[in-house]
Amino acid sequence: MPETYLIAYDGSAASDRALSFGAARARASEARLLLAHVLEWSPYSFLSAEEVAERHKRRNDEVGRAKTVILDPVRKRLTNEGLSVETVVRYGHVAEVLGDLAKEFAATQIIVGRTGEKGLQARLFGSVAGTLAQVAPVPCTIVP
Amino acid sequence: MKYSFAALAAAALLASPAQASVAERVDEIFAASTTWFVNLIFADLPGTGVPWIVGWLVLGALVFTFYFGFIQVRAFGHALQIVRGKYSDPRDAGEVSPFQALTAALSGTVGLGNIAGVAVAVSIGGAGATFWMILAGLFGMATKFTECTLGVKYRNEYPDGSVSGGPMYYIKKGFAERGLPLGGFMAVMFSIFCVLGALGGGNMFQANQAASQVESVLGVPTWITGLILSGIVFIVIVGGIKSIARVTEKVVPFMGGGYFLVGMAILILNWDMIGWAFGEIIRGAFTDTGIVGGMIGAIIQGFRRAAFSNEAGIGSAAIAHSAVRTKEPVTEGFVSLLEPFIDTVIICTMTALVIIITQQLLIDANTGLYILDENGRIANAEGVGAGVPLTSAAFGAAFSWAPYALSLAVFLFAFSTMLTWSYYGMKAWTYMFGEGETKELVFKLIFCFFIFVGAVSSLNAVIDFSDAALFSMAIFNIIALYFLMPIVKRELNSYLLRLKSGQIKAYK
């Protein structure tokens, strides 16, 4: 049974660094890669009547875009390089969802990029990497 | 953009010469052309002083309450668990959550009905009207449950993922499924009244109250507020500037929360009076306190305002809830039964308590009866009109800044309710005429025009028409609910069975 590395990937520079770090390790240990794109979402935000009516359509659009634009190109590239890659799109609180995914797919470690937020924003909202370090159910690598 | 220029031009044209006389003329024409309709809807049951339409709504609420075995009590706890997300599959995250469905529907009902409507109820029906209002709210929960379950079950889903639903759809499809005649006819009749209701309670009443509040606090003439409101709504629904609507929808829930907190603060500051206030409510509910119509008058006012505020039986909430994706129609019914509770039993009651506790309603110290003014309304401490000004005076008696905050709240509530109802009205309009840009534009223009009419009309003419239009939606909706309630019962029993057996599982 090969190991599974869960990599948070949203197409940003930070997530690219996490990806190349993870891919290099996966090549060495013949591990499987699981690329997760998590869209920030709270079930307790407020929507207008019209937004409620359009929500399902929007969600389909968002998931479709995440797949075709962000995840699929990377998967193709890595598969061509001989790696075994799976992708998944989810909604929710990013750090929590990554933790849940790690359990669901029996991942052996989580790899995320660090965005390097500083100052007020990081103090107020925390960062994905910081939260994940606290809640991750498996070892977690934060790539600078 | 070209539309907004047109709006500005129209505004300038209307505003220029002798605005006051224009306002008076609009008011005159409006009152004269709606009286027959109002009289028909509010005709008394023969031999009694009770309008038949009020009896109709109450009868419906009682029937549904007994038919579903007090579902509002049985399912209350489960409804709260659903809203908290206990039964939401995490894989469905990103779809509308039960909490979002509830708040979206509430933003259409919590608003002026809770602020102005309650003030009207107690200033005509006395403190006792509150009791009947709460009772109507509690029974109305069963009506909401029935209509929202059906709304989801019989909605139309389109290939692009969008949905349309509401009474017109469940009347047509439900009747066809049960082999009943006249489904198509009743669906169209409902749609006609829904468009009228959108223009009345969902539009003119809101504009009227917002304009009169702004006039009494800031001294701005009603026609100016009317033009501004009509202009902003025009920009949003015709010009497609959705960002204004989005901002409003985010701000309004906090306004509602703020209103509730300020009201609670006043009640806490006067905690020693709360017992007395409830005493007044009970005394007024069962004895003649000198109001017009006596005890029956209090009942009618309480029921009328409750229905106007929480819209149970009107069918509007079914339009909002039917857009939610859910595997079980019944769960939307459960969520929706919380709405009359939050809207009427909590928020309306709080408004009434604030008005009673701050002693706005004048009572003759010798007889214990209310003192009436020349219109047959209970005279109030500040000598202001019924509706928002009375609530404003009551809040102002406790906090001097409250009337200003209330003006802002009233304006935003009015605006968000108008947007929600423009959506309801549009759904009914496109049900009748089909979807298409020109057809939709016609409705939107009519809608904006009526905002102005509502702002400049007198309160009585607007309130009567708004009530009549909203209640007329209930005529066909409740008939349909009677015929379709066995379907809801089947859904309910099957759901409860699967919940008990663990087939429907909790995720948290």
Side-chain angles (χ1 to χ4, degrees), chain A residues 50-63:
Chain A
E50 249 186 309
E51 284 176 304
V52 166
E54 288 169 357
R55 190 59 226 158
H56 181 66
K57 199 172 139 195
R58 287 262 177 85
R59 184 179 188 267
N60 285 348
D61 292 348
E62 285 164 4
V63 170

PDB file of all heavy atoms in Angstrom, chain A residues 50-63:
ATOM      1  N   GLU A  50     -32.242  35.926  -4.174  1.00  0.00           N
ATOM      2  CA  GLU A  50     -31.750  35.612  -5.518  1.00  0.00           C
ATOM      3  C   GLU A  50     -30.487  34.760  -5.474  1.00  0.00           C
ATOM      4  O   GLU A  50     -30.322  33.844  -6.275  1.00  0.00           O
ATOM      5  CB  GLU A  50     -31.483  36.914  -6.275  1.00  0.00           C
ATOM      6  CG  GLU A  50     -32.470  37.127  -7.401  1.00  0.00           C
ATOM      7  CD  GLU A  50     -32.128  38.333  -8.234  1.00  0.00           C
ATOM      8  OE1 GLU A  50     -31.928  39.405  -7.642  1.00  0.00           O
ATOM      9  OE2 GLU A  50     -32.064  38.189  -9.457  1.00  0.00           O
ATOM     10  N   GLU A  51     -29.599  35.089  -4.532  1.00  0.00           N
ATOM     11  CA  GLU A  51     -28.377  34.286  -4.401  1.00  0.00           C
ATOM     12  C   GLU A  51     -28.712  32.847  -4.029  1.00  0.00           C
ATOM     13  O   GLU A  51     -28.060  31.916  -4.486  1.00  0.00           O
ATOM     14  CB  GLU A  51     -27.460  34.897  -3.331  1.00  0.00           C
ATOM     15  CG  GLU A  51     -26.736  36.134  -3.794  1.00  0.00           C
ATOM     16  CD  GLU A  51     -25.907  36.775  -2.678  1.00  0.00           C
ATOM     17  OE1 GLU A  51     -26.473  37.099  -1.628  1.00  0.00           O
ATOM     18  OE2 GLU A  51     -24.707  36.921  -2.872  1.00  0.00           O
ATOM     19  N   VAL A  52     -29.755  32.674  -3.194  1.00  0.00           N
ATOM     20  CA  VAL A  52     -30.188  31.331  -2.827  1.00  0.00           C
ATOM     21  C   VAL A  52     -30.605  30.573  -4.079  1.00  0.00           C
ATOM     22  O   VAL A  52     -30.213  29.431  -4.299  1.00  0.00           O
ATOM     23  CB  VAL A  52     -31.365  31.383  -1.814  1.00  0.00           C
ATOM     24  CG1 VAL A  52     -32.028  30.022  -1.689  1.00  0.00           C
ATOM     25  CG2 VAL A  52     -30.861  31.851  -0.456  1.00  0.00           C
ATOM     26  N   ALA A  53     -31.375  31.241  -4.930  1.00  0.00           N
ATOM     27  CA  ALA A  53     -31.871  30.595  -6.139  1.00  0.00           C
ATOM     28  C   ALA A  53     -30.733  30.233  -7.098  1.00  0.00           C
ATOM     29  O   ALA A  53     -30.803  29.238  -7.805  1.00  0.00           O
ATOM     30  CB  ALA A  53     -32.878  31.502  -6.829  1.00  0.00           C
ATOM     31  N   GLU A  54     -29.676  31.044  -7.094  1.00  0.00           N
ATOM     32  CA  GLU A  54     -28.592  30.805  -8.064  1.00  0.00           C
ATOM     33  C   GLU A  54     -27.477  29.938  -7.498  1.00  0.00           C
ATOM     34  O   GLU A  54     -26.548  29.572  -8.220  1.00  0.00           O
ATOM     35  CB  GLU A  54     -27.972  32.148  -8.483  1.00  0.00           C
ATOM     36  CG  GLU A  54     -28.870  32.970  -9.372  1.00  0.00           C
ATOM     37  CD  GLU A  54     -28.334  34.386  -9.548  1.00  0.00           C
ATOM     38  OE1 GLU A  54     -27.300  34.705  -8.929  1.00  0.00           O
ATOM     39  OE2 GLU A  54     -28.959  35.140 -10.295  1.00  0.00           O
ATOM     40  N   ARG A  55     -27.548  29.613  -6.223  1.00  0.00           N
ATOM     41  CA  ARG A  55     -26.421  28.988  -5.539  1.00  0.00           C
ATOM     42  C   ARG A  55     -25.963  27.690  -6.207  1.00  0.00           C
ATOM     43  O   ARG A  55     -24.775  27.479  -6.439  1.00  0.00           O
ATOM     44  CB  ARG A  55     -26.798  28.737  -4.067  1.00  0.00           C
ATOM     45  CG  ARG A  55     -25.649  28.303  -3.173  1.00  0.00           C
ATOM     46  CD  ARG A  55     -24.532  29.302  -3.120  1.00  0.00           C
ATOM     47  NE  ARG A  55     -23.257  28.602  -3.286  1.00  0.00           N
ATOM     48  CZ  ARG A  55     -22.129  29.143  -3.688  1.00  0.00           C
ATOM     49  NH1 ARG A  55     -22.083  30.413  -3.979  1.00  0.00           N
ATOM     50  NH2 ARG A  55     -21.051  28.424  -3.825  1.00  0.00           N
ATOM     51  N   HIS A  56     -26.905  26.808  -6.521  1.00  0.00           N
ATOM     52  CA  HIS A  56     -26.519  25.505  -7.061  1.00  0.00           C
ATOM     53  C   HIS A  56     -25.770  25.650  -8.383  1.00  0.00           C
ATOM     54  O   HIS A  56     -24.755  25.006  -8.624  1.00  0.00           O
ATOM     55  CB  HIS A  56     -27.759  24.635  -7.265  1.00  0.00           C
ATOM     56  CG  HIS A  56     -27.452  23.277  -7.795  1.00  0.00           C
ATOM     57  ND1 HIS A  56     -26.738  22.344  -7.075  1.00  0.00           N
ATOM     58  CD2 HIS A  56     -27.717  22.697  -8.997  1.00  0.00           C
ATOM     59  CE1 HIS A  56     -26.597  21.247  -7.807  1.00  0.00           C
ATOM     60  NE2 HIS A  56     -27.172  21.435  -8.969  1.00  0.00           N
ATOM     61  N   LYS A  57     -26.287  26.554  -9.214  1.00  0.00           N
ATOM     62  CA  LYS A  57     -25.671  26.813 -10.506  1.00  0.00           C
ATOM     63  C   LYS A  57     -24.252  27.358 -10.311  1.00  0.00           C
ATOM     64  O   LYS A  57     -23.297  26.908 -10.947  1.00  0.00           O
ATOM     65  CB  LYS A  57     -26.536  27.860 -11.226  1.00  0.00           C
ATOM     66  CG  LYS A  57     -26.347  27.934 -12.700  1.00  0.00           C
ATOM     67  CD  LYS A  57     -27.423  28.859 -13.252  1.00  0.00           C
ATOM     68  CE  LYS A  57     -26.869  29.766 -14.306  1.00  0.00           C
ATOM     69  NZ  LYS A  57     -27.785  30.873 -14.575  1.00  0.00           N
ATOM     70  N   ARG A  58     -24.131  28.333  -9.391  1.00  0.00           N
ATOM     71  CA  ARG A  58     -22.829  28.918  -9.094  1.00  0.00           C
ATOM     72  C   ARG A  58     -21.853  27.865  -8.611  1.00  0.00           C
ATOM     73  O   ARG A  58     -20.688  27.835  -9.000  1.00  0.00           O
ATOM     74  CB  ARG A  58     -22.968  29.958  -7.985  1.00  0.00           C
ATOM     75  CG  ARG A  58     -23.622  31.224  -8.422  1.00  0.00           C
ATOM     76  CD  ARG A  58     -22.572  32.275  -8.735  1.00  0.00           C
ATOM     77  NE  ARG A  58     -23.218  33.491  -9.221  1.00  0.00           N
ATOM     78  CZ  ARG A  58     -23.689  34.417  -8.422  1.00  0.00           C
ATOM     79  NH1 ARG A  58     -23.561  34.284  -7.110  1.00  0.00           N
ATOM     80  NH2 ARG A  58     -24.286  35.477  -8.908  1.00  0.00           N
ATOM     81  N   ARG A  59     -22.333  26.980  -7.735  1.00  0.00           N
ATOM     82  CA  ARG A  59     -21.466  25.962  -7.164  1.00  0.00           C
ATOM     83  C   ARG A  59     -20.945  25.061  -8.269  1.00  0.00           C
ATOM     84  O   ARG A  59     -19.754  24.736  -8.317  1.00  0.00           O
ATOM     85  CB  ARG A  59     -22.222  25.140  -6.129  1.00  0.00           C
ATOM     86  CG  ARG A  59     -21.368  24.119  -5.402  1.00  0.00           C
ATOM     87  CD  ARG A  59     -22.209  23.381  -4.375  1.00  0.00           C
ATOM     88  NE  ARG A  59     -21.406  22.526  -3.515  1.00  0.00           N
ATOM     89  CZ  ARG A  59     -21.168  21.250  -3.757  1.00  0.00           C
ATOM     90  NH1 ARG A  59     -21.658  20.684  -4.851  1.00  0.00           N
ATOM     91  NH2 ARG A  59     -20.446  20.530  -2.917  1.00  0.00           N
ATOM     92  N   ASN A  60     -21.848  24.662  -9.182  1.00  0.00           N
ATOM     93  CA  ASN A  60     -21.413  23.835 -10.303  1.00  0.00           C
ATOM     94  C   ASN A  60     -20.341  24.550 -11.117  1.00  0.00           C
ATOM     95  O   ASN A  60     -19.344  23.947 -11.522  1.00  0.00           O
ATOM     96  CB  ASN A  60     -22.602  23.501 -11.208  1.00  0.00           C
ATOM     97  CG  ASN A  60     -23.502  22.454 -10.583  1.00  0.00           C
ATOM     98  OD1 ASN A  60     -23.126  21.828  -9.592  1.00  0.00           O
ATOM     99  ND2 ASN A  60     -24.676  22.276 -11.145  1.00  0.00           N
ATOM    100  N   ASP A  61     -20.563  25.855 -11.355  1.00  0.00           N
ATOM    101  CA  ASP A  61     -19.583  26.638 -12.114  1.00  0.00           C
ATOM    102  C   ASP A  61     -18.240  26.661 -11.396  1.00  0.00           C
ATOM    103  O   ASP A  61     -17.188  26.467 -12.003  1.00  0.00           O
ATOM    104  CB  ASP A  61     -20.073  28.082 -12.307  1.00  0.00           C
ATOM    105  CG  ASP A  61     -21.283  28.152 -13.218  1.00  0.00           C
ATOM    106  OD1 ASP A  61     -21.581  27.123 -13.861  1.00  0.00           O
ATOM    107  OD2 ASP A  61     -21.927  29.214 -13.281  1.00  0.00           O
ATOM    108  N   GLU A  62     -18.297  26.927 -10.089  1.00  0.00           N
ATOM    109  CA  GLU A  62     -17.064  27.065  -9.314  1.00  0.00           C
ATOM    110  C   GLU A  62     -16.277  25.753  -9.282  1.00  0.00           C
ATOM    111  O   GLU A  62     -15.059  25.745  -9.470  1.00  0.00           O
ATOM    112  CB  GLU A  62     -17.397  27.497  -7.874  1.00  0.00           C
ATOM    113  CG  GLU A  62     -17.801  28.961  -7.767  1.00  0.00           C
ATOM    114  CD  GLU A  62     -18.489  29.289  -6.443  1.00  0.00           C
ATOM    115  OE1 GLU A  62     -18.588  28.402  -5.570  1.00  0.00           O
ATOM    116  OE2 GLU A  62     -18.925  30.439  -6.295  1.00  0.00           O
ATOM    117  N   VAL A  63     -17.000  24.644  -9.063  1.00  0.00           N
ATOM    118  CA  VAL A  63     -16.328  23.344  -9.020  1.00  0.00           C
ATOM    119  C   VAL A  63     -15.734  23.026 -10.390  1.00  0.00           C
ATOM    120  O   VAL A  63     -14.580  22.581 -10.505  1.00  0.00           O
ATOM    121  CB  VAL A  63     -17.312  22.233  -8.580  1.00  0.00           C
ATOM    122  CG1 VAL A  63     -16.682  20.867  -8.762  1.00  0.00           C
ATOM    123  CG2 VAL A  63     -17.729  22.433  -7.133  1.00  0.00           C
TER     124      VAL A  63
END
